[in-house]
Amino acid sequence: MNIYKEWKKNIDDSSNKTFFDAYLEKEMDAYTSILEEGKGILKGNCGELAEKFEMDLPIFGGFLDGVNSSLEEQLELEGLTEESEIDCKIDFEKLLYNMHAAKANWLYLLEEWESVLPTEKREEIKKQFNRDTTAVSSKVGRNEPCPCGSGKKYKKCCGK
């Protein structure tokens, strides 16, 4: 069976809170293990990897869905089955950035990050995320100089 479709079926069922809670716990354990290892390589068939991370297949499908945008080369999730072979490498900088984007503080605050990325690099990634997501207004204030270059206040020029 397609593990990604099974994941989507479980996640779309909003009444399945226990499934999602189990996923979050297993996800944190998997990232802890990956960070402790420090290589970021996922290699083997999906069934073996799910077993290595102590996940059932639908939860492993969700893990792959979550990590996919942080891989050096993304996987085609739609066709993955238990026997599918995968060989991919996690870009740790992308992963940390994406964890900030997902507001997954239980993941980006793991102490295992210390052995993978130095504190300065982690702070730089956090600052970059904050810069990328900060809303900037391009609205001209009434008393500011007019952007047309006339030298007048906006309210006395183009803002009339």
Side-chain angles (χ1 to χ4, degrees):
M1 171 172 248
N2 183 308
I3 61 176
Y4 180 70
K5 285 183 183 171
E6 189 68 26
W7 158 253
K8 291 300 268 181
K9 185 179 103 183
N10 279 298
I11 213 66
D12 289 342
D13 179 6
S14 59
S15 66
N16 203 348
K17 183 175 173 5
T18 55
F19 175 83
F20 194 69
D21 289 343
Y23 166 75
L24 293 175
E25 182 182 330
K26 294 296 183 181
E27 176 191 43
M28 189 167 74
D29 292 344
Y31 282 122
T32 300
S33 173
I34 289 167
L35 292 171
E36 283 175 346
E37 184 181 87
K39 296 177 185 170
I41 296 172
L42 298 173
K43 185 174 183 169
N45 77 37
C46 291
E48 292 168 350
L49 289 170
E51 196 173 297
K52 173 185 172 182
F53 294 118
E54 298 176 3
M55 299 178 177
D56 62 19
L57 284 169
I59 288 179
F60 184 67
F63 172 75
L64 289 177
D65 188 21
V67 77
N68 201 26
S69 61
S70 302
L71 299 176
E72 289 180 354
E73 211 172 295
Q74 290 193 4
L75 298 170
E76 180 58 50
L77 299 174
E78 292 291 331
L80 292 178
T81 64
E82 183 175 359
E83 293 79 29
S84 297
E85 292 288 328
I86 60 174
D87 184 4
C88 51
K89 182 161 178 27
I90 298 171
D91 180 332
F92 286 120
E93 291 181 16
K94 262 195 224 178
L95 179 63
L96 185 60
Y97 184 94
N98 291 336
M99 286 177 174
H100 280 285
K103 296 177 177 59
N105 61 332
W106 65 94
L107 297 176
Y108 67 73
L109 294 176
L110 288 170
E111 63 185 41
E112 287 77 11
W113 277 108
E114 293 174 17
S115 63
V116 178
L117 293 173
T119 304
E120 299 80 33
K121 187 64 179 173
R122 293 193 317 271
E123 286 299 318
E124 181 185 317
I125 291 169
K126 181 180 179 181
K127 286 178 183 174
Q128 183 62 48
F129 169 75
N130 289 336
R131 279 191 300 270
D132 292 348
T133 57
T134 300
V136 178
S137 175
S138 60
K139 185 177 177 184
V140 179
R142 290 179 33 82
N143 290 315
E144 292 179 20
C146 190
C148 75
S150 68
K152 297 178 183 179
K153 289 184 177 182
Y154 179 68
K155 69 181 178 185
K156 298 280 186 177
C157 188
C158 296
K160 280 186 173 181

